[in-house]
Amino acid sequence: RMLSGYRPTNNVQDSYKILDLEEGCSLDDVRNSYHNLAKKYHPDSSSGAADSKAFIRVEEAYRVVLSDLAAKQKSDAGEEEEDQFKSKSLQHRHYLSFEGVGIGTPSQREKQYRQFRVDRATEQVLEYRQQRLESRCAGSDLSRAMDVRQSKKVKITQAVERLVEDLIQESMAKGDFDNLSGKGKPLQKFSHSPHIDPMTHNLNRILIDNGYQPEWILLQKEIRETIGLLRKSIVAARRKLGEPMTLSEQKQWGRICEQFAEDIRKLNKRVDNFNLVVPILSRQMVHFSTDKEILRARKNYEAVVEKDSGSDTKGSEGEEGKRFGWKSSLLKWLKL
């Protein structure tokens, strides 16, 4: 219809009457009325009032009403924009442009404002160059004096270092350092460090004398001791059970594994706390796996059982050797 230049025959008022609507209704009301009438008159509907001609009139009326509502909305929007522009338009706004510089027409004021900006930029550049030259002159004199003093210090220190190094090498060649009292012993624990101030050095010495250790070191030590005790305890618990295990012993072993898993979970929480306070990223720890630890305990148990069985067989062979050793020695003597 749009391409063929079709124009509906209904006017606006008739279209509203066909849709059972009044002028000034909303878009939702128009759509709801059209849907209800389309369900009623559409030829494919199962209603008894289905009529193709009535459905065409309803559709034409619906299109006319939609176009009328769209035109009204455009006119309302245009009026609102005009009202907003009128309310927001500034009185004497030409005095607010060009930073209040210049007089006359807008074009004359624009030229005057451009010249004003050029003059202002020129003054700023001149001031910056003057400040830079003054700072260079003041800094050059100071830097020259500092360079002279520093070069003298470097020459003196280098000469002294060469002299001291020569004396040390000469004494080492003579063997003067062979009989020193501290030879082969570690350096003092509280030797002065040139990288920290004396106050921090004294505080560190007091803390170490009183057995202070950082929190992350204590946590690391605690975690290692705890996992060691858990590993020993689960191996000892497995050794108490028989081989092969009975049904009751299997249930007991299951309870032991559940308790071991709970202990590992608590230990992993300590690992999380340790990773939060450790200052070195490479020192962070990973979580302990319950399955891997149980498998490790089984391997340790099997190794212990094999070791015990090997020692028992060696002991029995030694007893048999002691028991029958005098008979073999007697037979050898008779042969001789």
Side-chain angles (χ1 to χ4, degrees), residues 20 61 70 100 105 115 153-154 169 202 207 230 253 263 294 311:
D20 296 332
T105 61
Q115 186 63 35
K153 288 182 180 179
V154 170
Q169 294 294 335
N202 294 331
L207 291 173
L230 290 176
W253 173 248
D263 296 336
I294 293 175
S311 61

Side-chain angles (χ1 to χ4, degrees), residues 12-14 16-17 21-26 65 68-69 72:
V12 178
Q13 295 179 354
D14 295 339
Y16 277 104
K17 291 180 180 180
L21 296 173
E22 296 180 356
E23 294 186 7
C25 60
S26 63
V65 171
D68 182 60
L69 290 177
K72 289 181 179 180

Side-chain angles (χ1 to χ4, degrees), residues 231-265:
R231 288 169 178 172
K232 291 180 181 178
S233 63
I234 192 171
V235 173
R238 181 63 185 87
R239 291 185 65 183
K240 291 180 181 179
L241 303 176
E243 184 63 33
M245 292 185 293
T246 60
L247 184 60
S248 60
E249 289 176 346
Q250 290 179 359
K251 293 181 180 179
Q252 186 177 358
W253 173 248
R255 290 193 295 270
I256 292 171
C257 292
E258 291 178 358
Q259 183 62 35
F260 182 75
E262 181 65 19
D263 296 336
I264 291 294
R265 187 182 63 81

Side-chain angles (χ1 to χ4, degrees), residues 203-204 206-218:
L203 290 175
N204 292 337
I206 292 170
L207 291 173
I208 295 174
D209 285 338
N210 290 274
Y212 171 78
Q213 292 182 349
E215 182 182 3
W216 66 275
I217 292 179
L218 296 176

Side-chain angles (χ1 to χ4, degrees), residues 154-206:
V154 170
K155 290 180 181 178
I156 294 171
T157 53
Q158 289 178 354
V160 173
E161 288 177 357
R162 286 196 298 270
L163 179 60
V164 172
E165 185 66 26
D166 294 339
L167 292 174
I168 291 173
Q169 294 294 335
E170 185 179 354
S171 299
M172 289 177 63
K174 292 179 181 179
D176 296 338
F177 296 156
D178 294 339
N179 297 323
L180 294 177
S181 59
K183 182 180 179 181
K185 297 181 180 179
L187 297 175
Q188 293 184 0
K189 184 170 58 175
F190 303 113
S191 60
H192 177 67
S193 175
H195 304 291
I196 59 176
D197 58 296
M199 180 62 69
T200 306
H201 174 73
N202 294 331
L203 290 175
N204 292 337
R205 182 176 62 184
I206 292 170

Side-chain angles (χ1 to χ4, degrees), residues 15-21 27-39 58 62:
S15 300
Y16 277 104
K17 291 180 180 180
I18 292 172
L19 295 177
D20 296 332
L21 296 173
L27 183 62
D28 294 335
D29 296 337
V30 175
R31 289 175 179 173
N32 293 332
S33 177
Y34 171 71
H35 290 163
N36 295 330
L37 293 175
K39 291 178 182 178
V58 168
Y62 175 65

Side-chain angles (χ1 to χ4, degrees), residues 37-50:
L37 293 175
K39 291 178 182 178
K40 181 178 180 181
Y41 294 114
H42 197 277
D44 296 336
S45 64
S46 59
S47 64

